[in-house]
Amino acid sequence: MSVLEKAAQVIDVLNRNLGPAKLGVIADEVGLPKSSAHRLLNEMVGLGMARRLEDGNYTSGYRLVQWGHAADLALGIRQAAEPIMRRLSDEVAESVHLHVPEGNHRVCAAGVPGPQTLRPVIRLGTILPLGVGASGKLLLAYATDRARAEARQQADDATEASWPDEGQLALLRERGWATSTAEVESGLTAISAAVLTRTGEALGALTVAGASSRLPAERCAELRPLVVGSAREIARALGA
Amino acid sequence: MSVLEKAAQVIDVLNRNLGPAKLGVIADEVGLPKSSAHRLLNEMVGLGMARRLEDGNYTSGYRLVQWGHAADLALGIRQAAEPIMRRLSDEVAESVHLHVPEGNHRVCAAGVPGPQTLRPVIRLGTILPLGVGASGKLLLAYATDRARAEARQQADDATEASWPDEGQLALLRERGWATSTAEVESGLTAISAAVLTRTGEALGALTVAGASSRLPAERCAELRPLVVGSAREIARALGA
DNA sequence: AACCCCGTTCCTTTATCCGGAACGTCGTTC
DNA sequence: GAACGACGTTCCGGATAAAGGAACGGGGTT
């Protein structure tokens, strides 16, 4: 295993615990001998990827924030989309996500938490499969044949069983929106609208998601035009 | 030179250009033979640190966004401080920064851009020296003797010449605020207030910065209580 | 068609990384 | 207060991954 991969795992551990972690714990979780973990962490501290607190524990370093911020700017999407998403979130009083396609999966590129206590947690950069959930199916409909085939291959049995056929995908492409209930998780309902370029490619999928009890069919129908409208607005803001 | 360091440099190049970069350019800037750069980038793409676009160019990957976001949460400061900073920025119509001490320098931990076209650029994670600028001097005043000595050693000649003596530092500690004009850059004025724990340690320095022409002495005096008040509020929000 | 610029692959040398073992240091227990 | 245990740190020879020169492929240009 390469150093880079190990470093990535260490960072993941540091971030997962959302708090300082001891050397031993890190070494354990990554599956490294203490001495190796020690050497690696020392180097990472030197490069600013990690920090060492006075009490000896390790945490994420400023360099990660720097990189993330810069990468955000490079992607650009977040800056353009978040104001619009925030407004939508206020209007519908639910959490709003934006997923972008990336190879044969999708990545969370922006998110605004809703006012509810029970709400989907937003974690930027999280990878989710195509084909699952409202935005998953929607992005699948716009994906290349190759990405679609790969995504299907990676799907688990349950997902594979309910895989949308060509007709359904064509319908989704025509409408530009999708809904899902209990696909990603039981109790979770989502309404998703495509953010399209002028040429009809999908830049991303804008999604309102919340507890199913708060989002029955009629409420979804109410929300749908708002989601579709905001998605169009984001597309415009991106110059598409 | 270690792989990790090279990877960090590659990421910096990817972020600096704020746009896709070609293999050759990256290899060049990092000072690596093409074949080595190629191998490294391939691995980074595999780990999600970089992405390859259809046209063959490389960009930052989603993993960086993920890490940055998580590191932000881990630090916690930004979440607590930004709403207060946004309000302050609205009130004073200038850019607002928050710097935290880290070893013998300071790091930009949060920022809200002001409405002006001519305004200091905010780049999270940027490292600045102690002792220079309003927040630099302020944080220097609260720094440990060791950090102070190290910072002084690293200072350039001009900075060294105007290095604050013990008396000045004591004054800054007593007041809890500082101003600077043309210290970091000519034409740039800043007013900074310390964010303190209950025990009197500095968690950070809150700074309003803008063009000197918009911030003459009397305007600074006007702004000062607002900055100090917001800094106190952030301290309270952080549970200090 | 010939050329050139880039990216890609290959392969051996080399330098880096690995991790067990031994050591220090602090806090805990008897 | 001595012995123990947990945890971090240092060291060093062997294992391994990284390096980069060289040769190849392919798309665009003169």
Side-chain angles (χ1 to χ4, degrees):
Chain A
M1 194 198 297
S2 80
V3 197
L4 223 51
E5 189 174 346
K6 274 175 240 173
Q9 283 190 36
V10 167
I11 294 174
D12 283 337
V13 169
L14 288 178
N15 285 337
R16 178 160 354 117
N17 303 0
L18 275 192
K22 291 191 181 196
L23 175 65
V25 174
I26 299 172
D28 236 40
E29 289 210 43
V30 180
L32 238 52
K34 273 188 308 180
S35 62
S36 302
H38 180 251
R39 193 165 25 73
L40 183 57
L41 274 161
N42 258 1
E43 194 180 351
M44 290 174 65
V45 168
L47 292 170
M49 299 183 193
R51 268 178 328 141
R52 185 139 210 204
L53 308 176
E54 308 77 43
D55 60 6
N57 288 354
Y58 293 95
T59 325
S60 323
Y62 66 87
R63 195 89 178 262
L64 300 183
V65 177
Q66 182 181 9
W67 285 345
H69 186 63
D72 245 4
L73 292 178
L75 292 174
I77 292 184
R78 199 171 161 202
Q79 271 61 34
E82 265 191 359
I84 298 166
M85 292 170 68
R86 207 169 293 144
R87 210 199 48 209
L88 177 62
S89 174
D90 285 346
E91 284 173 3
V92 304
E94 295 288 350
S95 299
V96 177
H97 301 236
L98 182 66
H99 292 266
V100 298
E102 164 119 4
N104 49 27
H105 44 246
R106 60 192 162 112
V107 175
C108 180
V112 176
Q116 330 285 350
T117 308
L118 176 66
R119 56 176 150 89
V121 175
I122 293 163
R123 297 185 47 189
L124 299 187
T126 302
I127 303 180
L128 290 165
L130 290 180
V132 183
S135 68
K137 280 187 300 187
L138 199 52
L139 290 176
L140 183 71
Y142 291 94
T144 60
D145 288 342
R146 180 159 168 243
R148 216 176 288 167
E150 287 178 1
R152 180 161 198 174
Q153 213 157 21
Q154 288 169 16
D156 55 37
D157 291 349
T159 309
E160 169 80 34
S162 66
W163 199 259
D165 60 33
E166 267 307 322
Q168 287 174 288
L169 294 178
L171 174 65
L172 290 177
R173 271 195 300 272
E174 200 182 322
R175 299 195 309 200
W177 57 267
T179 61
S180 76
T181 300
E183 278 190 24
V184 174
E185 213 175 284
S186 81
L188 187 68
T189 292
I191 311 148
S192 190
V195 178
L196 299 175
T197 64
R198 216 166 285 165
T199 58
E201 289 163 293
L203 290 174
L206 181 71
T207 307
V208 167
S212 300
S213 55
R214 289 196 308 268
L215 294 168
E218 57 270 23
R219 175 94 176 115
C220 284
E222 233 174 272
L223 262 41
R224 204 165 58 216
L226 295 175
V227 182
V228 171
S230 293
R232 290 227 179 92
E233 219 173 314
I234 291 173
R236 224 174 304 133
L238 289 171
Chain B
M1 193 200 301
S2 81
V3 196
L4 223 52
E5 188 174 346
K6 273 175 242 173
Q9 283 190 38
V10 168
I11 294 175
D12 283 338
V13 170
L14 287 179
N15 285 336
R16 177 157 359 112
N17 301 0
L18 274 193
K22 291 191 183 196
L23 175 65
V25 175
I26 299 172
D28 237 39
E29 289 209 43
V30 180
L32 240 49
K34 273 187 309 177
S35 60
S36 302
H38 181 251
R39 194 166 25 75
L40 182 58
L41 275 162
N42 259 359
E43 193 180 354
M44 292 175 64
V45 168
L47 292 171
M49 300 184 192
R51 272 181 319 145
R52 184 136 210 209
L53 309 175
E54 306 77 42
D55 60 6
N57 288 356
Y58 292 93
T59 325
S60 322
Y62 65 90
R63 196 90 178 260
L64 301 183
V65 177
Q66 181 180 11
W67 286 343
H69 185 62
D72 246 4
L73 292 178
L75 292 174
I77 293 184
R78 200 172 161 203
Q79 270 63 33
E82 266 192 359
I84 298 166
M85 292 170 68
R86 207 168 295 143
R87 210 199 48 210
L88 178 62
S89 173
D90 284 348
E91 284 173 4
V92 305
E94 294 289 351
S95 299
V96 176
H97 302 236
L98 181 67
H99 292 266
V100 297
E102 162 120 5
N104 50 25
H105 44 247
R106 60 193 161 113
V107 175
C108 180
V112 175
Q116 329 286 350
T117 308
L118 176 65
R119 55 177 151 87
V121 174
I122 293 163
R123 295 184 49 188
L124 300 187
T126 301
I127 302 180
L128 289 166
L130 290 181
V132 183
S135 68
K137 280 187 299 188
L138 198 53
L139 290 177
L140 184 70
Y142 291 95
T144 61
D145 288 341
R146 178 157 171 245
R148 216 177 287 167
E150 286 178 1
R152 179 160 199 174
Q153 211 158 20
Q154 288 169 16
D156 56 37
D157 290 350
T159 309
E160 170 79 34
S162 66
W163 199 259
D165 60 34
E166 268 308 321
Q168 288 175 287
L169 293 178
L171 175 66
L172 290 178
R173 270 195 300 272
E174 200 183 324
R175 300 194 310 198
W177 57 266
T179 59
S180 77
T181 300
E183 277 189 26
V184 175
E185 213 174 285
S186 80
L188 187 67
T189 292
I191 310 147
S192 190
V195 178
L196 299 175
T197 63
R198 218 167 283 165
T199 59
E201 289 164 294
L203 290 174
L206 182 70
T207 307
V208 166
S212 300
S213 54
R214 290 196 307 266
L215 295 168
E218 56 272 22
R219 174 96 177 114
C220 283
E222 232 174 272
L223 262 40
R224 205 166 56 218
L226 295 175
V227 182
V228 171
S230 292
R232 290 228 178 90
E233 218 172 315
I234 291 173
R236 223 175 306 132
L238 289 171

